[in-house]
Amino acid sequence: MTIKSILCIFGGSQDELSALNTAFVLGHTYGAQIRVLHVSSDPAAYAGIYGEGIIASAAIIEAIEKENAQRLSKAKQYVVSFAAKHHIPLDTPDSPARHASARFVHAVGMMDSTIGREGRLSDLIVIGREHTPTHDLITPALFNTGRPVLLMPSAHDGLSKEWQDKTVALAWNGSLQSARAIHRWTKTV
């Protein structure tokens, strides 16, 4: 198995910058296409139903839309910066074969289903450790995609400098499928 497509799930926080950097480093190393996925919550999901009508609090929806716009703007800025830093073309339609390229993908909706759908199209998923309990990215990435997930510590936890000692931990449940996946993965690295 070669790595041709990398999905980096990125919310735009500084805690996730090591994951973004890792995705770009691996993309450059393997000549892979990097898709940076940013998922915004759907404000309509916070509308309440009362009787036969839908009650949507304008203040709540407005606050969600404002937060979504701020997170999206910050995420885009980081991705543009990292693409330039690693000399990887961003959002170009015609990138040469076997050369790294990157795309910024913005989706609005449920995190679990979006990660599952986008993750199945990738050879590797890179996630940063987010410190908010409301955004569990690891569970849908592991259980809804069938793809290997690389979980990176936050940037301020140290590491980087292209992963210092390069120690990797593999988690598996002892099943035949896990053994096959680990065998295929270790042959590529």
Side-chain angles (χ1 to χ4, degrees):
M1 176 181 123
T2 60
I3 299 174
K4 296 179 184 175
S5 176
I6 298 169
L7 178 67
C8 179
I9 304 168
F10 185 64
S13 75
Q14 285 188 322
D15 288 340
E16 302 168 286
L17 291 180
S18 65
L20 188 62
N21 186 57
T22 298
F24 277 95
V25 167
L26 290 172
H28 189 268
T29 301
Y30 290 101
Q33 184 198 28
I34 305 154
R35 288 187 345 273
V36 180
L37 175 64
H38 179 83
V39 182
S40 296
S41 57
D42 185 4
Y46 295 91
I49 298 176
Y50 182 74
E52 294 180 17
I54 296 177
I55 300 172
S57 171
I60 293 173
I61 290 177
E62 187 177 320
I64 293 169
E65 287 174 343
K66 183 179 177 181
E67 182 183 340
N68 283 347
Q70 290 171 345
R71 289 179 63 238
L72 176 62
S73 174
K74 190 181 258 187
K76 279 184 180 179
Q77 288 173 356
Y78 280 131
V79 172
V80 167
S81 171
F82 276 71
K85 173 183 167 185
H86 291 280
H87 308 289
I88 294 178
L90 177 65
D91 294 328
T92 55
D94 299 324
S95 58
R98 292 176 290 187
H99 286 83
S101 65
R103 277 190 14 213
F104 184 83
V105 179
H106 177 236
V108 177
M110 299 299 294
M111 188 76 72
D112 290 6
S113 58
T114 305
I115 290 172
R117 182 181 64 246
E118 292 292 325
R120 285 184 214 109
L121 302 174
S122 305
D123 295 322
L124 175 66
I125 301 171
V126 181
I127 301 175
R129 248 194 271 161
E130 273 194 307
H131 297 289
T132 56
T134 56
H135 297 299
D136 178 24
L137 306 177
I138 301 165
T139 302
L142 283 173
F143 298 111
N144 296 350
T145 65
R147 299 294 185 250
V149 176
L150 183 58
L151 179 63
M152 295 301 296
S154 63
H156 61 1
D157 285 344
L159 203 62
S160 208
K161 205 57 182 163
E162 302 346 310
W163 315 302
Q164 304 287 324
D165 300 329
K166 298 180 182 172
T167 300
V168 176
L170 299 173
W172 67 312
N173 64 2
S175 69
L176 180 61
Q177 293 86 355
S178 296
R180 286 182 182 150
I182 288 173
H183 179 70
R184 274 184 273 167
W185 174 252
T186 56
K187 287 180 13 181
T188 64
V189 180

